[in-house]
Structure formats: C-alpha cells, structure tokens
Amino acid sequence: MTSLGDTDLVDWNLAVATASRIARPGPEVSRDEARAVVAELRRHATAAEHHVREFTGLRAVHSDTPVLVVDRPGWVRANVAGFRQVLQPLMTRMRQRRAAAPGGAALTAVGSKVTGVEVGMLLSFLSSRVLGQYETFAPAAPGLPAGEGPGAQHAGRLLLVAPNIVHVERELDVQPHDFRLWVCLHEETHRTQFTAVPWLREHLESEIQAFLAEADVDPGALVERLRQAVQSMTGRGGQSQEEAGEPARAAASRAAGRGIVDLVQTPRQREILDRLTAVMSLLEGHADYVMDGVGPEVVGSVAEIREKFTRRRQTGAGRLDRALRRLLGMDAKLRQYRDGERFVRAAVESVGMDGFNRVWTSPNTLPTREEISHPERWVTRMRPGAA
C-alpha cells in the first residue's frame, strides 16, 4: 500500500475518472458507422505515411510506431500517461519538499484529490477539441523498459480521435473521406518528424525538463508571481488601467494574449520557452504546410476544407470557448500554426525542400523564435560558410 508520503501531487486516476465522467458525448453514430470510421482512419494513416515521405523526402528510421483510433476517454487516458512521464521529476521534487514540512504528507494526500479534479476538468475540455496527435512522450510498452528494444527511443504513438473528427467534418459540412485523409496527413507528418529525426524527441524532452527544473517548488513563491501577473493585467498595485496610465495598458494588452502558464514564469523559463516556442512553431507549421502541399494530389476538396477549417480555428465556438482558449494559452498554439507555416513556406520557396530539410540536422540548425518571424535570417545562417 502507498503511504501518504509517497502520494503523488496529482491524483491521476481521479483526473481520468473526472474527465471521462464530464466529457461531452460525441456525435451520434451507429455501431456500423463507428466501425467504418475507425477502419477508414486506419487506412488513411497508412496511406498518409507514403504521401508524407514522398513530399518531404524524410525517411523514418522506425516506422512501426502504433496508430490508435480512440474516443474522448481514450485520449484522456493516453495523455495522462504522457503527463505522468514528463512531469515525474518535478512531481518528485515537490513531493519531497512537501513531505519534509509539518503535516505535509496529509496536505499532499488532500491536495492531490483537488488537483486531480481540476486536471480532469481541463482534460475534459481539451478532449472534445483535439482531432489527433503524435504522442511524443508515451511510456514504454508494458514489460519493455524505456530505452530498450527496437525503436524504443521513439516510444510515441499516433492518436486519432474519431468522434472529434466526425464532429468537425459535420460542422464544416465537408466531404468526410477528404477531411479524414487531410487530418491524417497532418498527424502523420508529426510522426515522420520524430521517427525520421532521431535526436528530436530527446532534445524536446531535455528542453521541457530544463523548463520544469526552473519551476519554483515553493507554492508561496508561485502564488506571489501569479498575483503579480494578475495585477499586470489590471494595472499596478490594484490601480485600474486608466489610473496606471499608458504603460499599464500596454502591459495589459500584452498579457491579454498569454495564458496563465506564460504569466508565472521565471526569466530563465522565458528563455527556454522561446526555444520551445520556435520548435513547436516549426513542427506545427511544417505539418500544416505538408497537409496542404500533399492535398491537391490526393484530397480533392482541400481548398474548401482549409478555408472552412481556418475560419473555425480563428473564431472558436463562442465567448466562453474563446475565454478558455486564451486562459489556457491555446491562442498561442494557433499562432504557432500560422507563423510556422509561413516560415516553412518561405524557406522552401527560397532553398527548396532539400535545403529546408537542413533544419533537421541538429539542434543548432533549428530556427530561433526570431527566425520563425524572419525566415530569411535562418536561410542566411544556413548558407555554407556562414558563422
């Protein structure tokens, strides 16, 4: 039996149960329709692998990572497993610090329940919006220690969330066959990125761990920074924006487009986040560029799909949805798609696909956040003989 001192800071089982209980039901489909959708998504995932490889010139070192077609609770369970994997070092540090404090073990036991419910509510919200993802940090298969076995360094899985794909294709009123293949092209590009570039997963994980290592394990310090962040959105020291003047209004305007995670960072974390933002913009933009580049050959209605899907991304479902997206930093995610795609397009137009693929050579050839906005600077840096 696990002692209180060993209790995790998040009750992950409660998080899964909460999310599964309150997640909105997917669209109504018959059992036969559901089976047909699952079968078609699997076929499209297989076909997309060939299309992406031919378009990008990237060759997967290990192409046997699994493809899972899941429902919303299945997506929640898969992501909780990934969260536990990535957050474990930070959780261990915080648990040890809490256990050393008077009454810390009991507080952890109680707090983990509260946090589990909160995480579950967040996952429930997200589970109805994600169409698919390459689960980069999936735990190793049962019985196989991490880092062992063929392809173990690429332990990810490709997830396709069937009810969400059906919901969006109906909402947009697009051709289901085309839309499903179009989504698979995007997600297969992510799988190709990580399976064709052996160092990418380890690099991304090391950056995330460096970010987490800088996190304050003192809850009081975290609360203080959060208080300061909230003040920056309304003015200094409790003043309104009008009382604080133009600098406060400018600060509030900058803060309005950032999520809570952005607002409670240390300066060192902001440096790391700049690098992570550049990498994620590259990966998301590359996937969007590929899905649209392959599209005209295999997705007859790609232009209609892109137009309607982009409009949906920008507007969201309603006022509450937009507020939650901003709070969670999801608006920044949308900017990553847009800015990253522009970077990839400009780079490929300048130096061709082979020249662009130099980006996958090493961490040093990845674009900086500034270069994402100014692709010509990355092109110049990549020229032979450039410093």
Side-chain angles (χ1 to χ4, degrees), residues 60 162 295 298 362:
V298 297
S362 75

Side-chain angles (χ1 to χ4, degrees), residues 174-188:
V174 293
Q175 212 285 331
H177 171 85
D178 284 1
F179 184 74
R180 294 167 193 175
L181 177 55
W182 189 69
V183 170
C184 286
L185 288 170
H186 182 102
E187 304 309 333
E188 178 57 40

Side-chain angles (χ1 to χ4, degrees), residues 173-370:
D173 190 23
V174 293
Q175 212 285 331
H177 171 85
D178 284 1
F179 184 74
R180 294 167 193 175
L181 177 55
W182 189 69
V183 170
C184 286
L185 288 170
H186 182 102
E187 304 309 333
E188 178 57 40
T189 301
H190 285 317
R191 181 163 70 158
T192 299
Q193 290 163 349
F194 284 94
T195 55
V197 185
W199 54 264
L200 183 58
R201 180 182 185 275
E202 182 178 352
H203 170 70
L204 193 59
E205 185 172 18
S206 68
E207 290 282 61
I208 292 172
Q209 292 303 331
F211 181 90
L212 295 175
E214 292 291 325
D216 282 333
V217 293
D218 178 5
L222 186 62
V223 169
E224 174 59 21
R225 279 217 311 281
L226 181 59
R227 184 186 65 81
Q228 294 173 355
V230 171
Q231 285 185 354
S232 75
M233 300 178 73
T234 58
R236 299 189 198 89
Q239 293 174 305
S240 67
Q241 291 182 37
E242 289 72 21
E243 292 169 331
E246 183 60 33
R249 286 194 291 272
S253 177
R254 290 192 300 271
R258 301 162 64 190
I260 282 181
V261 174
D262 295 317
L263 292 169
V264 295
Q265 293 159 8
T266 66
R268 171 64 176 155
Q269 282 179 310
R270 291 192 185 98
E271 293 177 11
I272 299 171
L273 189 67
D274 276 349
R275 296 196 297 269
L276 279 170
T277 298
V279 174
M280 297 310 297
S281 296
L282 169 68
L283 299 180
E284 296 294 357
H286 183 238
D288 262 16
Y289 178 79
V290 171
M291 73 193 297
D292 287 347
V294 173
E297 297 294 327
V298 297
V299 181
S301 57
V302 63
E304 177 191 1
I305 291 173
R306 168 53 74 189
E307 180 185 359
K308 290 183 175 179
F309 192 76
T310 299
R311 192 184 311 131
R312 181 181 185 274
R313 268 182 181 173
Q314 293 171 342
T315 59
R319 181 177 299 177
L320 177 60
D321 186 82
R322 290 193 296 271
L324 285 170
R325 288 194 326 187
R326 176 171 293 181
L327 180 67
L328 298 174
M330 293 173 69
D331 283 349
K333 176 81 167 177
L334 300 183
R335 288 194 295 273
Q336 288 175 359
Y337 287 106
R338 181 192 64 217
D339 297 345
E341 194 276 339
R342 288 175 180 170
F343 168 82
V344 175
R345 182 175 300 279
V348 172
E349 289 176 353
S350 178
V351 296
M353 186 63 76
D354 288 342
F356 165 77
N357 280 344
R358 290 191 63 191
V359 78
W360 312 115
T361 305
S362 75
N364 293 329
T365 57
L366 292 172
T368 64
R369 189 167 183 175
E370 181 183 18

Side-chain angles (χ1 to χ4, degrees), residues 43-217:
R43 290 196 302 271
H44 284 333
T46 300
E49 182 180 358
H50 168 76
H51 296 312
V52 170
R53 183 172 64 244
E54 292 304 307
F55 184 82
T56 64
L58 296 175
R59 296 293 184 269
V61 178
H62 300 285
S63 59
D64 56 349
T65 54
V67 177
L68 304 179
V69 182
V70 299
D71 57 11
R72 290 169 179 175
W75 179 87
V76 168
R77 289 191 295 271
N79 276 266
V80 163
F83 289 160
R84 295 185 72 165
Q85 182 96 345
V86 173
L87 295 175
Q88 192 56 46
L90 176 64
M91 291 294 181
T92 299
R93 287 168 51 216
M94 296 184 72
R95 185 170 58 243
Q96 290 171 344
R97 182 160 183 171
R98 178 69 66 84
L107 289 173
T108 297
V110 174
S112 68
K113 302 294 183 184
V114 176
T115 309
V117 171
E118 292 172 341
V119 170
M121 294 173 66
L122 170 62
L123 289 172
S124 172
F125 173 78
L126 296 175
S127 70
S128 64
R129 283 154 175 78
V130 176
L131 301 183
Q133 72 182 80
Y134 181 71
E135 195 190 7
T136 313
F137 304 111
L144 180 64
E148 296 183 13
Q153 67 270 41
H154 301 295
R157 300 176 295 189
L158 183 61
L159 304 180
L160 299 169
V161 190
N164 295 349
I165 293 174
V166 172
H167 171 77
V168 174
E169 70 191 26
R170 291 179 178 179
E171 180 183 294
L172 298 181
D173 190 23
V174 293
Q175 212 285 331
H177 171 85
D178 284 1
F179 184 74
R180 294 167 193 175
L181 177 55
W182 189 69
V183 170
C184 286
L185 288 170
H186 182 102
E187 304 309 333
E188 178 57 40
T189 301
H190 285 317
R191 181 163 70 158
T192 299
Q193 290 163 349
F194 284 94
T195 55
V197 185
W199 54 264
L200 183 58
R201 180 182 185 275
E202 182 178 352
H203 170 70
L204 193 59
E205 185 172 18
S206 68
E207 290 282 61
I208 292 172
Q209 292 303 331
F211 181 90
L212 295 175
E214 292 291 325
D216 282 333
V217 293

